[in-house]
Amino acid sequence: MDGVQRYPPVARRCCLNAIDGIKEVQLRCVVLGKADEIYNTAEIWCYFQNDNTVTKPHTVKGEDFDPSDTDGVWLFEAFASTWDLKVGDKFTVHVLGQDIENEIKGLIESPEHIFSCASSDTDTDFHNIGFAYISQKVLPEEMRINNEIVFTCEGKALSYEDDIDTALDGGYSFIADRKSIDGFNRLVDELNQHDSFSYIFSFVFVAIALLVITTTMKRMVAQQRTQIGTLNAIGMKRRKIMLHYLGYSFLLSALGCITGVVLGIYTFGKMMIDMFSEFYRLPDWSGGFNYKSVVVAAVIVLVCTGAAYLSCYQILKIHPSEALRPATAKTAKPCIFEKLPFWDKLGFTSRYSLRDISRSKLRAVMGIFGTCVGMMVMTLGLGAFDTLGYVRSWYFDDIQNYSSQVILADSCTVGNTLATVIWVMFGRLVLQQ
């Protein structure tokens, strides 16, 4: 919760602690600063705290954050690794008109910065964005002003807004919960999108697997018609013959599911983790699966086995003597395409192709479905590529259509010798005041 300094810190904390349902309360100061020029004058969000009862950064390397340590700074791990900064190095942050140079005591991550992006960037670039936790005691006494109150509570935080408004007498700007954190929302939304895509692609590929299994089993049973009739004739029960072919389908689908789960975790899963970790900073990215994967695999195996059963059932229900004879040719029937008004105008090749489609419906559906899915994926990929191009043009040509950026030092004021600032770059006027 963002607040104004209307009450002394202790009084404001007591006001919130008195509200039933609020557990822990902490005050802090959050200010945007910047790093030295050698670090691209990167934006550094500075968290000045006297305690860490509520907000506790996760330590990746070095010491845990100590709010009483005035000689240390705890720096964002992604920013530090990008600039090859290590524990023990000196780092200077320019904030509130102060040049704070402290020793890096630890490299940290924070749930408030799962996703970080500088105001001048369109996407994450850890060269230009970072955050630091610093003891509030490094600031002069008159600058130790808290602008945020963070608290833990029972239930939803926004349900306490009326009580907080009464306790602080309206002396705050706004109240927000964890869902208001941009990085948290981005990660949740992206995970939900990938979850939806997983269902869509799973359905598509399972449907293809069913078509392949059904076609394979039908062709295998048709080719082994004589063997099936012979086994029936010598007294083998149909149940055993059926189990043989069901076992074949079961084994293929089970091996496919097991291989898919293993490859999904250690290949594609790792690729997704590597991609996510470039943008979203969490302590422990690791591949895995939950019970849904087991359930989906079991359903796929059962459905493929059921498809094999339907393929074998027709030939097993005929008499053994009929099965020993070659299969009779299907009686030619007029196909549905012959009812088209322009049928007589079609050539021989077109008529022949349409009759084949009508007589081999399953293979036709399989071919059309497979081609449709392939084209859909290609269209999606090309569309995504074009969309990125449009976004890039919209952002850099229409919104931020400048080619250079000049960042003035904190000491640059109107009243000194830099009252008139003229920067000339490559022979052209860049800035004049």
Side-chain angles (χ1 to χ4, degrees):
M1 183 185 71
D2 236 346
V4 298
Q5 189 71 15
R6 179 172 294 185
Y7 303 104
V10 176
R12 291 201 297 170
R13 181 180 300 196
C14 293
C15 288
L16 264 65
N17 277 328
I19 299 175
D20 186 28
I22 291 183
K23 299 178 180 179
E24 297 175 310
V25 180
Q26 177 188 325
L27 305 177
R28 68 180 184 180
C29 177
V30 182
V31 186
L32 179 61
K34 59 185 179 181
D36 283 332
E37 293 182 2
I38 59 173
Y39 303 119
N40 283 357
T41 319
E43 297 177 3
I44 304 294
W45 284 99
C46 300
Y47 291 81
F48 295 99
Q49 300 185 179
N50 281 329
D51 56 69
N52 57 347
T53 55
V54 178
T55 55
K56 303 175 183 178
H58 173 78
T59 304
V60 179
K61 294 180 182 178
E63 304 174 10
D64 292 335
F65 173 59
D66 183 3
S68 63
D69 189 344
T70 59
D71 297 324
V73 58
W74 281 258
L75 198 60
F76 185 27
E77 189 274 335
F79 176 82
S81 61
T82 302
W83 288 105
D84 197 26
L85 291 168
K86 299 179 177 60
V87 175
D89 293 346
K90 290 288 186 178
F91 182 77
T92 302
V93 58
H94 307 279
V95 59
L96 297 174
Q98 306 291 315
D99 298 330
I100 303 174
E101 181 181 6
N102 281 1
E103 179 185 348
I104 300 176
K105 294 291 185 69
L107 304 181
I108 57 175
E109 290 178 346
S110 170
E112 296 179 89
H113 289 272
I114 295 175
F115 177 87
S116 300
C117 181
S119 59
S120 58
D121 294 335
T122 58
D123 212 337
T124 299
D125 185 355
F126 293 121
H127 287 91
N128 302 324
I129 187 68
F131 67 88
Y133 274 68
I134 310 171
S135 172
Q136 198 174 62
K137 296 176 182 178
V138 302
L139 295 174
E141 186 71 28
E142 66 275 7
M143 300 183 67
R144 298 176 189 176
I145 300 176
N146 299 295
N147 60 0
E148 283 191 2
I149 305 176
V150 289
F151 61 89
T152 59
C153 61
E154 298 176 356
K156 296 182 179 180
L158 298 182
S159 63
Y160 294 89
E161 183 169 8
D162 292 338
D163 295 331
I164 293 173
D165 182 70
T166 303
L168 297 180
D169 193 21
Y172 67 95
S173 299
F174 67 92
I175 180 173
D177 59 2
R178 69 180 61 182
K179 293 182 180 179
S180 302
I181 300 175
D182 181 59
F184 178 83
N185 287 329
R186 281 175 178 265
L187 181 58
V188 170
D189 290 342
E190 188 152 357
L191 289 176
N192 289 335
Q193 290 176 8
H194 284 276
D195 192 47
S196 301
F197 284 139
S198 68
Y199 287 115
I200 295 173
F201 283 101
S202 296
F203 170 78
V204 169
F205 289 114
V206 168
I208 293 175
L210 288 177
L211 291 173
V212 172
I213 287 288
T214 304
T215 304
T216 301
M217 295 307 299
K218 278 192 172 183
R219 180 167 295 183
M220 178 184 295
V221 170
Q223 290 177 347
Q224 298 182 2
R225 176 188 177 96
T226 304
Q227 291 93 317
I228 294 173
T230 303
L231 293 174
N232 264 329
I234 63 177
M236 181 175 286
K237 295 181 179 181
R238 295 177 181 177
R239 180 172 59 85
K240 289 187 176 181
I241 299 175
M242 177 65 79
L243 287 175
H244 164 72
Y245 289 101
L246 291 183
Y248 176 82
S249 176
F250 177 85
L251 184 62
L252 285 183
S253 56
L255 286 175
C257 288
I258 294 172
T259 305
V261 169
V262 174
L263 291 179
I265 296 174
Y266 294 103
T267 56
F268 294 106
K270 188 177 183 303
M271 290 170 56
M272 293 296 295
I273 289 173
D274 292 341
M275 181 186 71
F276 268 80
S277 61
E278 291 181 4
F279 302 96
Y280 300 100
R281 306 302 297 187
L282 292 175
D284 298 310
W285 283 101
S286 60
F289 67 96
N290 56 17
Y291 70 94
K292 291 182 181 179
S293 302
V294 179
V295 172
V296 170
V299 170
I300 292 174
V301 172
L302 290 176
V303 172
C304 290
T305 306
Y309 174 82
L310 296 176
S311 302
C312 302
Y313 176 75
Q314 295 295 328
I315 196 169
L316 287 175
K317 72 178 182 178
I318 66 177
H319 196 272
S321 60
E322 293 183 18
L324 289 170
R325 301 189 189 99
T328 57
K330 292 182 179 180
T331 305
K333 296 180 182 179
C335 67
I336 191 174
F337 299 109
E338 294 183 21
K339 298 179 181 180
L340 296 174
F342 52 86
W343 173 261
D344 294 333
K345 298 180 181 180
L346 296 176
F348 172 77
T349 303
S350 300
R351 293 185 184 185
Y352 195 79
S353 299
L354 291 175
R355 283 196 180 102
D356 281 344
I357 292 173
S358 179
R359 292 170 185 172
S360 304
K361 297 181 180 62
L362 181 62
R363 290 184 220 173
V365 170
M366 184 176 174
I368 294 172
F369 184 76
T371 306
C372 173
V373 171
M375 194 63 201
M376 180 180 67
V377 174
M378 289 181 61
T379 304
L380 177 64
L382 295 174
F385 182 79
D386 291 340
T387 300
L388 290 176
Y390 294 145
V391 170
R392 183 171 57 249
S393 176
W394 169 72
Y395 193 86
F396 289 107
D397 295 339
D398 298 336
I399 298 179
Q400 293 189 1
N401 53 5
Y402 54 82
S403 59
S404 303
Q405 182 179 16
V406 176
I407 301 176
L408 303 179
D410 292 337
S411 57
C412 179
T413 60
V414 178
N416 60 17
T417 56
L418 295 178
T420 302
V421 181
I422 300 178
W423 292 78
V424 179
M425 186 179 297
F426 304 115
R428 54 195 177 91
L429 183 65
V430 176
L431 173 68
Q432 181 172 352
Q433 181 180 355

